[in-house]
Amino acid sequence: MPSILVTGATGQIGTELTLALRERYGDDTVTAAGHRREPPNNLATGGPYFSLDVRDAAALDAVVSQQKITVIYHLAALLSAVAESQPLQAWDINMNGLLNVLECARKHNCQVFFPSSIAAFGPDTPAFDTPQDTVQHPSTIYGITKVSGELLCDYYHRRYGVDARGVRYPGLISNQAMPGGGTTDYAVDIFYAAVRQKHYECFLRADTQLDMMYMPDAITAAIQLMETDARRLAHRNGFNVTAMSFTPAQLAAAIQQHLPDFTINYKVDPLRQGIADSWPRHMNDSAARAEWDWQPQFDLPAMVADMLAQITAKLHNA
Ligand code: AKB
C-alpha cells in the first residue's frame, strides 16, 4: 500500500484528489498538506493533515519522514494570473517548492506527480492539434515555471532515477474548492453566477477557445498515470491531456440549454486575455491515450449538466 502526500491539498485539484485517494487507498494512508487556505472539515479530520509551506525543505522532509511517504502528488503552486502579478513569488513557490519535493523524493525514494499545464506552451506553439513534443516558449512566468518543472522532473528521473510523472492540464472545471488566480477560472465562476443571478460578466472574449476538463477526469488522469507500468511510458512528464475545447460563448450556449434565461456579457481583462491568447486552442493528447489509456468521461454537455446540478444543490444547502 502506498503512503501518499498531497501538497496544495486545500487547492482546486488537491481537495478532490485527496478525497479520491483516501477513498481508493484508505484514509490513514493519504496525508494532506495545505498552506494558504483553511482546510475544509472533511480534509482535516478525514485523515492526516499538516500545515506546510513547500518552500520549507526541512519541514517537508520532516512530514515525509514521519509519515513514511512513498508517493507525492505535488500540487502547491500559484496559477497564471496571480503569478503574473507576483513573478518573484511565483518562481519561489512553483520552482523552489518543486525542487524541495524532488530532493525529498530522491532522498526517500518517492514517486512524484507534477501537474504541468497548457501554459507550458506559448504563442509560437501550433494552436490546434498541438503535438506532444513541440515548441515550448511560454510568455508568462507561470508557463516558464511549468516548462522548467517538466524539464526538472525529467532530469531527476534521468540523473537520479526518481519516478516523476505528470500531465499538462487544461482549464479545470470543478464544484468543490474554488480555483484562485487562474485564467480559465471563468469556466467555474460562470456556473455560480448562472445559478445565483442568471447572468455572468466574462473577463475573456466570447471567441477565446481553450482546452478544458471536468475535475473527475483530472483526478482519474493523475491516478491512472501514476499507476501505469513504467515500462509503457515513452514520455514521463508533461503528457498533453484534454477532454473538451470551447469558447465562453459556446459554454454560455450550453448553460442556456438548461437555463434559457441565462445571459452573458463580456468585459475583457487585458492581462488574462493576453495570457489566454498565448495558449493553444486544442491539444493532441494521443500520447497519453496510447501510453496509459487516457480516456475522458465528460464532454461539454455532460459536464454542464453535472455542474449545474451540483452547484444548485450546494447553494441550496448552504
Ligand atoms: C490557469 O488558468 O492558470 C490554470 C491553468 C490552465 O494552468 N487553470
Side-chain angles (χ1 to χ4, degrees):
M1 187 65 83
S3 176
I4 299 172
L5 172 66
V6 180
T7 74
T10 54
Q12 188 196 13
I13 308 175
T15 305
E16 292 189 47
L17 180 64
T18 302
L19 298 178
L21 290 168
R22 283 182 177 161
E23 176 101 23
R24 190 172 181 82
Y25 298 112
D27 291 344
D28 295 341
T29 60
V30 182
T31 299
H35 177 48
R36 290 176 167 233
R37 290 182 183 172
E38 273 303 301
N41 270 345
N42 52 358
L43 209 67
T45 57
Y49 179 84
F50 288 80
S51 175
L52 175 72
D53 183 341
V54 289
R55 291 171 296 178
D56 184 341
L60 175 65
D61 196 281
V63 173
V64 170
S65 302
Q66 183 187 318
Q67 300 297 101
K68 298 190 175 29
I69 297 298
T70 58
V71 181
I72 306 174
Y73 285 81
H74 175 50
L75 307 176
L78 291 194
L79 294 184
S80 56
V82 72
E84 216 50 44
S85 64
Q86 319 169 34
L88 295 185
Q89 190 158 18
W91 181 266
D92 191 23
I93 294 172
N94 293 13
M95 292 315 303
N96 291 328
L98 175 62
L99 198 57
N100 289 341
V101 165
L102 288 169
E103 269 301 293
C104 233
R106 181 176 74 80
K107 199 168 140 197
H108 298 278
N109 197 20
C110 304
Q111 194 190 23
V112 175
F113 176 80
F114 170 69
S116 184
S117 159
I118 50 174
F121 296 119
D124 54 358
T125 299
F128 287 94
D129 203 26
T130 309
Q132 174 64 41
D133 302 303
T134 185
V135 181
Q136 288 186 267
H137 294 149
S139 52
T140 63
I141 188 68
Y142 176 66
I144 292 169
T145 66
K146 288 301 180 188
V147 75
S148 307
E150 292 178 11
L151 294 172
L152 202 56
C153 287
D154 278 339
Y155 177 79
Y156 265 73
H157 174 250
R158 216 172 29 248
R159 181 86 165 75
Y160 303 116
V162 172
D163 185 2
R165 307 177 182 193
V167 300
R168 294 182 185 128
Y169 278 130
L172 296 180
I173 300 155
S174 62
N175 50 59
Q176 294 192 29
M178 295 298 283
T183 301
T184 57
D185 294 6
Y186 90 85
V188 176
D189 300 343
I190 193 172
F191 285 97
Y192 287 88
V195 173
R196 280 190 179 119
Q197 58 264 359
K198 296 201 170 12
H199 180 76
Y200 180 61
E201 182 165 276
C202 185
F203 56 75
L204 293 184
R205 255 190 351 256
D207 63 350
T208 310
Q209 184 184 338
L210 291 169
D211 277 309
M212 297 279 176
M213 187 183 295
Y214 196 30
M215 189 57 82
D217 280 330
I219 302 299
T220 302
I223 297 174
Q224 201 170 312
L225 172 59
M226 292 293 271
E227 290 183 348
T228 294
D229 184 337
R231 287 169 298 190
R232 287 191 63 194
L233 301 179
H235 299 84
R236 293 200 134 257
N237 293 287
F239 276 99
N240 288 358
V241 283
T242 185
M244 55 193 103
S245 173
F246 57 73
T247 65
Q250 289 165 334
L251 177 56
I255 292 173
Q256 280 159 348
Q257 298 284 318
H258 299 261
L259 302 174
D261 297 345
F262 174 66
T263 54
I264 185 165
N265 75 296
Y266 299 90
K267 187 171 174 210
V268 171
D269 167 18
L271 172 69
R272 287 180 285 188
Q273 186 65 52
I275 294 173
D277 287 342
S278 76
W279 291 349
R281 301 289 167 235
H282 197 17
M283 292 185 289
N284 178 320
D285 60 5
S286 53
R289 289 172 190 261
E291 293 178 38
W292 48 278
D293 307 322
W294 161 240
Q295 178 68 63
Q297 300 301 310
F298 286 86
D299 59 9
L300 176 59
M303 177 275 289
V304 167
D306 200 57
M307 275 295 279
L308 286 173
Q310 299 286 345
I311 288 173
T312 303
K314 181 174 168 178
L315 296 180
H316 184 75
N317 296 330

